[in-house]
Amino acid sequence: VTTTGVMLSGRNQVEAAPPIAIMAQELGYFPVSNAETGQVMYVPAQIARHSSEDALTLAQHLKDKKIAMYGAYWCPHCYHQRQVLGKEALSQITYVECSPKGYKYAGPK
């Protein structure tokens, strides 16, 4: 047994990594495989927070000006910004996934 408590050899070897669902929750995204192609994509965690009046006003302004939010599923700053905007405001904004492994990635433009 190592100092981390993981047995390195023997019959009762212990897995060191936590289940993927726990890791994904901590990271803020979830791996999903495409049934047709087998390609793995990463879907950002759902936004739990409701939008403030200020966030809704900002979202409407960005929509009126045709301004998109560019982000990456793995970026903690993008995740934080989506949480700050809230789910109602974010639903009004065009979001562009920049990472090729991200859900709804459309490629370079």
Side-chain angles (χ1 to χ4, degrees), residues 5-16:
V6 177
M7 183 176 286
L8 298 177
S9 62
R11 291 182 162 201
N12 298 324
Q13 188 167 352
V14 177
E15 295 292 326

Side-chain angles (χ1 to χ4, degrees), residues 69-83 95:
M69 176 182 175
Y70 289 78
Y73 73 90
W74 50 262
C75 175
H77 307 289
C78 300
Y79 175 76
H80 177 72
Q81 187 61 62
R82 290 192 306 268
Q83 290 293 341
Y95 178 79

Side-chain angles (χ1 to χ4, degrees), residues 14-107:
V14 177
E15 295 292 326
I20 189 69
I22 294 171
M23 290 173 31
Q25 184 179 18
E26 289 297 317
L27 293 172
Y29 54 85
F30 301 88
V32 176
S33 59
N34 184 321
E36 294 174 10
T37 66
Q39 180 183 12
V40 175
M41 296 183 172
Y42 295 89
V43 178
Q46 291 185 355
I47 306 303
R49 186 175 167 175
H50 290 284
S51 300
S52 67
E53 287 299 318
D54 289 340
L56 290 168
T57 301
L58 174 61
Q60 186 60 52
H61 178 73
L62 295 174
K63 183 178 177 181
D64 292 345
K65 298 289 183 182
K66 296 182 170 58
I67 296 173
M69 176 182 175
Y70 289 78
Y73 73 90
W74 50 262
C75 175
H77 307 289
C78 300
Y79 175 76
H80 177 72
Q81 187 61 62
R82 290 192 306 268
Q83 290 293 341
V84 168
L85 285 169
K87 56 185 167 185
E88 295 85 5
L90 195 60
S91 70
Q92 296 181 31
I93 297 172
T94 300
Y95 178 79
V96 179
E97 177 60 53
C98 297
S99 179
K101 290 189 175 185
Y103 181 65
K104 293 189 178 179
Y105 173 72

